[in-house]
Amino acid sequence: MTRRFAQVDVFSSTGTEGNPVAVVVDGGGPGAPIAEDRMAAFARWTNLSETTFVLPPTDPAADYKLRIFTPGGELPFAGHPTLGSAHAWLTSGGRPKGEDVVQECGVGLVHIRRSGPRLAFAAPPLRRSGPVDPDVVDEVVAALAVDRDAVVAAEWVDNGPEWMVIQLGSGERVLEVRPDIAALGDHKVGLLGLYDAGDVFAEVRAFVPGIGVPEDPVTGSLNAGIATWLRSTGQAPESYVAAQGGAIGRAGRVHIHDDGQDIWVGGDTATVIEGTVAL
């Protein structure tokens, strides 16, 4: 069956410097759903960090249901696919039931709204938080080729993907890291460093072994988890910008805003490829 398709760049205003997501807009429907194995096969074929499928909702409060696949399997939630899929759904004629777009996915309902020219999602609650076990930290820093005494903090910020974040002393130090991806094993690791001054408050990197993409260019779920942790511990202002992707030739910008009720994770989105796909 021929279905509407878009490839959307997320967290970049230029359309090529953020993180692309492949979106199959007509992922379901009466008599025409895509089988799960076909979804997984298509995600392996696109070979992007994530490929999504927009489906009819099963929760009456949702506007659509989203399934999110990496080349290695399915995720319950991911940030840049959430924003990119909302962009594709809206530009394909989708109309939300209420003020926000409401996405149903593996972590429940996620609210998405326009914030000026950007889309932003409300950070889901952390499923796991607190310090990472010292033995695990030792494994991870060895794979990162980072001295143990360079680690400022090591925290779980798991909001679906099982992220841990390793904080280093500065944004500049984060950009210098050259990891051994294979040595990370199954650990999903975010790096964080804060800047003393400037328009960018934080530098972030994300390493996800086993999905076919060694370093994720720009990562909404990780930035959401980091923002939840930093705000809960008083380490960040209510609004800030995080940079990600500089180490691999991207220029992603993630805009964080805590309105006192929710932490919103936003960024620019742009359709780069639009057409149809046979699935």
Side-chain angles (χ1 to χ4, degrees):
M1 178 178 173
T2 300
R3 304 171 190 271
R4 289 176 297 171
F5 172 81
Q7 192 158 306
V8 180
D9 198 41
V10 183
F11 297 124
S12 168
S13 60
T14 66
T16 55
E17 294 187 349
N19 198 356
V21 59
V23 185
V24 179
V25 182
D26 299 318
I34 304 174
E36 183 174 309
D37 62 341
R38 291 289 292 149
M39 293 183 187
F42 187 60
R44 291 192 296 271
W45 183 81
T46 67
N47 201 35
L48 296 176
S49 56
E50 282 95 4
T51 298
T52 69
F53 301 84
V54 181
L55 308 166
T58 58
D59 188 317
D63 292 301
Y64 56 81
K65 181 176 181 178
L66 195 70
R67 295 189 69 176
I68 305 166
F69 286 81
T70 74
E74 188 170 5
L75 295 176
F77 170 74
H80 99 273
T82 291
L83 297 184
S85 299
H87 172 99
W89 182 76
L90 288 167
T91 56
S92 296
R95 294 292 179 268
K97 299 171 184 176
E99 181 180 352
D100 296 343
V101 175
V102 181
Q103 170 185 293
E104 177 185 353
C105 60
V107 296
L109 299 180
V110 176
H111 285 249
I112 305 147
R113 65 177 50 165
R114 290 204 176 275
S115 178
R118 304 181 181 99
L119 289 172
F121 66 85
L126 297 182
R127 293 178 165 189
R128 184 180 185 183
S129 60
V132 180
D133 185 276
D135 290 340
V136 175
V137 177
D138 289 341
E139 291 178 21
V140 170
V141 297
L144 296 174
V146 170
D147 291 337
R148 184 65 174 81
D149 59 9
V151 176
V152 175
E155 291 280 324
W156 290 106
V157 292
D158 177 0
N159 52 15
E162 297 172 342
W163 289 115
M164 71 174 75
V165 61
I166 304 294
Q167 184 180 358
L168 302 180
S170 69
E172 292 87 353
R173 182 67 186 91
V174 165
L175 290 171
E176 293 170 353
V177 172
R178 297 294 180 265
D180 180 346
I181 298 297
L184 282 174
D186 295 329
H187 299 305
K188 297 180 177 69
V189 178
L191 284 182
L192 168 69
L194 305 183
Y195 289 106
D196 292 330
D199 295 335
V200 173
F201 175 73
E203 190 75 42
V204 174
R205 294 177 70 182
F207 306 110
V208 193
I211 69 167
V213 182
E215 180 168 352
D216 196 43
V218 201
T219 317
S221 61
L222 173 59
N223 276 280
I226 287 172
T228 300
W229 169 53
L230 291 179
R231 288 294 293 157
S232 71
T233 54
Q235 298 182 70
E238 66 180 22
S239 297
Y240 70 84
V241 177
Q244 190 177 348
I248 54 172
R250 307 291 176 88
R253 294 294 183 269
V254 182
H255 296 259
I256 302 294
H257 177 64
D258 184 348
D259 67 5
Q261 181 174 351
D262 291 297
I263 294 174
W264 294 90
V265 181
D268 293 295
T269 53
T271 301
V272 178
I273 300 171
E274 190 172 26
T276 61
V277 60
L279 279 175

